Amino acid sequence: MSETVYDVVIIGGGPAGLTAGLYCSRARLNTLLIEKMILGGQVMITTDVENYPGFPGGITGPELMERFQTHCQEFGLQVTTGEVSTIVDEGKIKRIKTVDGDLLARAVIIATGASPRKLGIPGEKEMIGRGVSYCATCDGAFYRNVPVAINGGGDTAVEEAMFLSRFASKVYLIHRRDQLRAVEVLQERLKANDKIEVLWNKTVQEAHGDNTGLTHLTLEDTQSGEQSTLETTGLFVAIGVTPITHFLEGVVDLNDDGYVITDTQCQTSVEGIYAAGDVRSGVLKQIATAVGDGATAAWVVEKFLSENN
Ligand code: NAP
């Protein structure tokens, strides 16, 4: 029996991957999307999405991704679950290796996105699931009427701090500088929320716990070097993201931070392999830009396949 050669295999099912899937399926390309966990990507752990056009008043992350999936189904996108270990460029065919066997395709779109960055401090790893979390939307409700801490100063940290304030008795936002990176509209809301206290110029040095879980944090003042203790049973880490590209080492060119280098048309260093969304270097990390990338990559793939029959 001959092995199926897909026109295109899309790796990753967040907004970029699903949009590429929608466009490729609608263009009648034999398209398979492979996703490691659940469709929707990082948006699935976002409480409210209020800057994706067409949804005045906002929409929850999971609801928006449900709509993306339904839309893809309308055009018959094929989806499978699996983890890609590498891609082998065999010229006109790309061999996508997974633990469950190989997939073959004439073109590949990498849309694996990014995952939350770790602090790398003592105690962090040991306390994951026992007080240390990377997702307030997932774990915030466990912290009813107790104080919690969140580390970071970007949009994610501020949004999550506000989400946590719905449950916690108090939220400490720990930031390493005296100015937030988050957009102004979020900063205004943060200031108006009297349950949130910002601990400026502080880093988390160590997470301490006992057999009940996290008990307290050691903080350090970035100006004076002075150390202090913050008692809390919950630490949410929101210090940015790292691209999911470990399986691409030696496959396509990556920049120093591990993002896939492409041209403006999502073309990587290898012909027939494209990258879209948060995994791609130098692009704004938003659902709207991921969607634009997914559409661009699909259009470029369609053109590439028709020229390389
Ligand atoms: P981010 O914008 O990269 O911010 C990361 C924050 O963590 C920064 O404040 C940074 O401090 C701090 N940080 C980084 N490494 C640290 C460390 N080792 N120790 C302590 N603090 C550290 O990440 P993000 O907030 O996750 O956002 C990622 C992208 O998604 C951004 O482009 C953001 O705009 C986007 N996003 C958008 C929305 C939205 O539009 N609604 C929501 C969420 C995320 P410094 O400021 O000092 O560098």
Side-chain angles (χ1 to χ4, degrees):
M1 209 172 80
S2 66
E3 268 183 291
T4 304
V5 178
Y6 292 96
D7 290 323
V8 52
V9 165
I10 299 162
I11 309 172
L18 287 171
T19 304
L22 191 154
Y23 273 68
C24 289
S25 312
R26 187 166 178 269
R28 300 281 180 259
L29 298 177
N30 186 12
T31 309
L32 179 73
L33 185 151
I34 180 165
E35 162 61 46
K36 187 170 80 165
M37 290 181 358
I38 51 162
L39 291 175
Q42 287 186 87
V43 186
M44 293 300 280
I45 57 170
T46 304
T47 331
D48 296 309
V49 177
E50 57 175 26
N51 56 358
Y52 189 66
F55 294 92
I59 181 167
T60 70
E63 212 181 325
L64 180 62
M65 287 301 97
E66 176 76 38
R67 283 170 176 260
F68 271 52
Q69 285 179 53
T70 307
H71 204 167
C72 287
Q73 281 160 7
E74 273 183 22
F75 294 105
L77 174 68
Q78 303 166 80
V79 176
T80 188
T81 308
E83 186 164 5
V84 174
S85 55
T86 191
I87 305 167
V88 182
D89 180 18
E90 297 179 351
K92 286 202 166 213
I93 301 286
K94 314 295 170 202
R95 183 174 292 274
I96 299 115
K97 293 196 158 282
T98 82
V99 280
D100 305 312
D102 297 356
L103 296 166
L104 303 179
R106 297 166 64 208
V108 177
I109 298 174
I110 299 158
T112 40
S115 59
R117 190 182 287 151
K118 308 268 189 303
L119 278 164
I121 54 163
E124 179 184 22
K125 215 166 126 198
E126 293 77 3
M127 288 295 139
I128 291 175
R130 305 179 58 221
V132 171
S133 168
Y134 303 85
C135 175
T137 312
C138 319
D139 301 327
F142 294 124
Y143 297 89
R144 279 179 202 276
N145 305 319
V146 291
V148 294
I150 178 150
N151 192 194
D155 291 344
T156 305
V158 173
E159 279 188 348
E160 295 205 338
M162 283 182 300
F163 178 73
L164 289 168
S165 73
R166 295 186 201 171
F167 311 98
S169 56
K170 170 131 196 155
V171 179
Y172 294 100
L173 180 79
I174 304 161
H175 183 41
R176 64 183 178 186
R177 289 190 293 136
D178 61 0
Q179 219 179 349
L180 295 168
R181 182 176 291 277
V183 290
E184 197 54 44
V185 63
L186 291 177
Q187 295 199 32
E188 282 165 17
R189 279 185 217 154
L190 183 85
K191 278 180 206 142
N193 188 323
D194 55 16
K195 264 191 169 181
I196 305 173
E197 183 182 342
V198 184
L199 303 180
W200 300 106
N201 301 315
K202 300 275 189 292
T203 55
V204 184
Q205 293 293 311
E206 188 166 352
H208 306 266
D210 57 22
N211 52 9
T212 63
L214 185 73
T215 53
H216 61 285
L217 307 172
T218 301
L219 307 185
E220 188 172 282
D221 191 293
T222 54
Q223 312 277 296
S224 64
E226 198 180 307
Q227 294 208 332
S228 56
T229 296
L230 181 69
E231 291 196 5
T232 180
T233 52
L235 169 65
F236 290 84
V237 180
I239 59 162
V241 292
T242 28
I244 303 170
T245 53
H246 53 275
F247 67 101
L248 296 171
E249 296 279 345
V251 178
V252 293
D253 288 351
L254 306 176
N255 72 11
D256 291 344
D257 298 321
Y259 289 89
V260 179
I261 299 170
T262 69
D263 66 9
T264 54
Q265 302 219 318
C266 302
Q267 168 71 64
T268 71
S269 55
V270 176
E271 189 178 55
I273 304 185
Y274 305 85
D278 283 9
V279 78
R280 193 163 82 83
S281 72
V283 285
L284 178 67
K285 312 295 184 217
Q286 296 280 300
I287 304 169
T289 45
V291 164
D293 258 21
T296 302
W299 175 74
V300 176
V301 161
E302 200 186 340
K303 210 157 93 128
F304 168 75
L305 292 178
S306 66
E307 286 165 5
N308 291 274
N309 248 326

